[in-house]
């Protein structure tokens, strides 16, 4: 039997034996829907890196430029639909007793596919919030200004996403902690595994005995803790894996 065939069967067996499954996803699972990843060739906008633009410092020094970047991404999402990888995770959720879909993605594609227990660690492009008061709104309803201002207090609105150095939403962290404590298998798909605290969720689940199954085009720091690494595009590998699960 070929190595990749043996790895796939092992991953199927691990999922067949598990009632409580967590999945941690990153930008790679949306790549086949046409959403650019962060690190790598696609992660540039007008010559600036997405990683550098997604920071409080960039917003402080150039709020209009950062809003332009986010409006571009929000607009680009309008024509984007979930791929087979997203859809296969809906099927996986339905066959599990407990299921957590922890995502670092802000594109809303897991919910659009039909996943229910979605934990958005890094917020969402669908919403904006005030930098001073508690006002928030859908990005569909933003005032048409280069830097939209808060209708309640007049200060700047910002995308409701999590930038470097900022805390993650407390309810999302609590749910992700529960997943780490309870899951028997954690599938980690399409993430470079370099951003904390998301990456540590996989390391910690592995350390407490959960089987980590990684799906990625290449090895990552998470491969070290993975019981099985399935190399290939998640839009192909995830449906194949879930299709074989009882
Ligand atoms: C495919 C594929 C296909 C392609 N199929 N695969 C401990 C140690 C060191 C540093 C820190 C630490 N704790 C905290 C930090 C600081 C920092 C951090 O992690 N820094 C490291 C980078 C060094 N973390 C934070 O600041 C976080 N906050 C925090 O910890 O608060 C508490 C705190 C505050 C202050 C001090 C200390 C603690 C916040 C992190 C926020 C990340 N935000 C972003 C932007 C979101 C908004 C937006 O979208 O604009 O989130 S950055 C960006 O990276 C985005 C992503 O969600 C995130 C992860 O990227 P992801 O998803 O992994 O994408 P890529 O592009 O990196 O990888 C794609 C992968 O897919 C690759 O592996 C490909 O091979 C693969 N792939 N196509 C399968 N078809
Ligand atoms: Zn306000």
């Amino acid at each position: 039997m070929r190595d990749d065939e043996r790895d796939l069967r092992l991953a199927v067996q691990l999922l067949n034996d598990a009632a409580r499954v967590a999945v941690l996803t990153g930008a790679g699972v949306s790549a086949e829907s046409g959403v650019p990843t962060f690190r790598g060739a696609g992660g540039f906008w007008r010559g600036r890196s997405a990683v550098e633009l997604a920071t409080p410092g960039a917003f402080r020094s150039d709020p209009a430029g950062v809003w332009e970047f986010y409006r571009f991404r929000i607009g680009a999402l309008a024509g984007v639909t979930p791929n087979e990888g997203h859809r296969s995770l809906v099927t996986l959720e339905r066959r599990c007793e407990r299921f957590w879909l922890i995502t670092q993605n802000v594109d809303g594609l897991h919910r659009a596919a039909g996943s229910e227990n979605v934990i958005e660690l890094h917020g969402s492009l669908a919403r904006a919030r005030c930098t001073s008061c508690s006002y928030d709104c859908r990005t569909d309803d933003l005032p048409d200004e280069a830097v939209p201002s808060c209708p309640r207090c007049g200060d700047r609105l910002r995308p409701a996403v999590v930038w470097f150095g900022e805390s993650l939403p407390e309810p999302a962290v609590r749910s992700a902690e529960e997943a780490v404590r309870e899951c028997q298998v954690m599938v980690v798909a399409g993430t470079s595994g370099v951003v904390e605290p998301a990456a540590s969720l996989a390391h910690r689940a592995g350390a407490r005995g959960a089987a980590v199954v990684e799906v990625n085009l290449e090895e990552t720091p998470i491969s070290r803790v993975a019981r099985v690494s399935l190399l290939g595009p998640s839009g192909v590998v995830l449906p194949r894996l879930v299709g074989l699960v009882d």
Side-chain angles (χ1 to χ4, degrees):
M1 197 189 300
R2 281 173 29 201
D3 281 359
D4 54 350
E5 190 62 25
R6 202 191 48 228
D7 288 345
L8 182 68
R9 289 198 189 186
L10 173 55
V12 169
Q13 191 190 332
L14 291 166
L15 283 170
N16 276 339
D17 292 344
R20 302 185 303 277
V21 173
V23 177
L24 171 66
T25 65
V29 297
S30 294
E32 289 151 86
S33 293
V35 182
T37 58
F38 273 84
R39 293 162 188 83
F44 284 84
W45 182 76
R46 298 193 181 163
R48 296 170 78 181
S49 94
V51 173
E52 176 237 307
L53 283 157
T55 60
F59 189 66
R60 266 195 306 276
S61 60
D62 181 14
V66 170
W67 260 118
E68 219 184 322
F69 166 62
Y70 277 95
R71 282 189 202 272
F72 170 79
R73 287 174 57 198
I74 292 161
L77 275 183
V80 164
T81 52
N83 63 53
E84 289 303 317
H86 296 107
R87 280 194 276 276
S88 65
L89 296 176
V90 180
T91 309
L92 183 60
E93 179 166 19
R94 291 189 183 137
R95 67 155 294 285
C96 292
E97 237 165 66
R98 302 284 314 272
F99 183 86
W100 301 261
L101 205 176
I102 309 164
T103 187
Q104 299 168 82
N105 299 344
V106 294
D107 55 30
L109 289 177
H110 287 302
R111 282 189 213 280
S115 287
E116 284 178 13
N117 194 19
V118 181
I119 300 161
E120 292 180 319
L121 285 182
H122 294 164
S124 165
L125 288 179
R127 302 203 71 81
R129 64 180 170 83
C130 180
T131 50
S132 291
C133 75
S134 60
Y135 178 81
D136 80 334
C137 66
R138 295 187 51 78
T139 45
D140 292 346
D141 305 330
L142 281 179
D144 191 19
E145 304 163 288
V147 181
S149 51
C150 174
R152 200 178 289 163
C153 77
D155 211 337
R156 286 173 182 160
L157 296 180
R158 55 162 285 175
V161 297
V162 181
W163 288 325
F164 284 116
E166 296 182 331
S167 304
L168 279 60
E170 199 46 54
V173 171
R174 264 200 308 276
S175 301
E177 291 292 335
E178 179 191 61
V180 167
R181 270 195 319 272
E182 306 240 335
C183 71
Q184 295 157 305
V185 172
M186 182 179 278
V187 178
V188 181
T191 177
S192 54
V194 297
V195 172
E196 297 294 350
S200 291
L201 299 173
H203 292 280
R204 288 168 49 216
R208 56 147 288 278
V212 174
V213 174
E214 187 179 41
V215 177
N216 202 303
L217 296 180
E218 57 190 27
E219 291 210 342
T220 73
I222 290 172
S223 312
R224 285 198 305 273
V225 290
R227 189 86 58 88
V228 193
S229 285
L230 303 174
L231 290 178
S234 54
V236 174
V237 176
L238 286 173
R240 194 178 289 159
L241 172 63
V242 174
L244 291 167
V245 170
D246 290 338

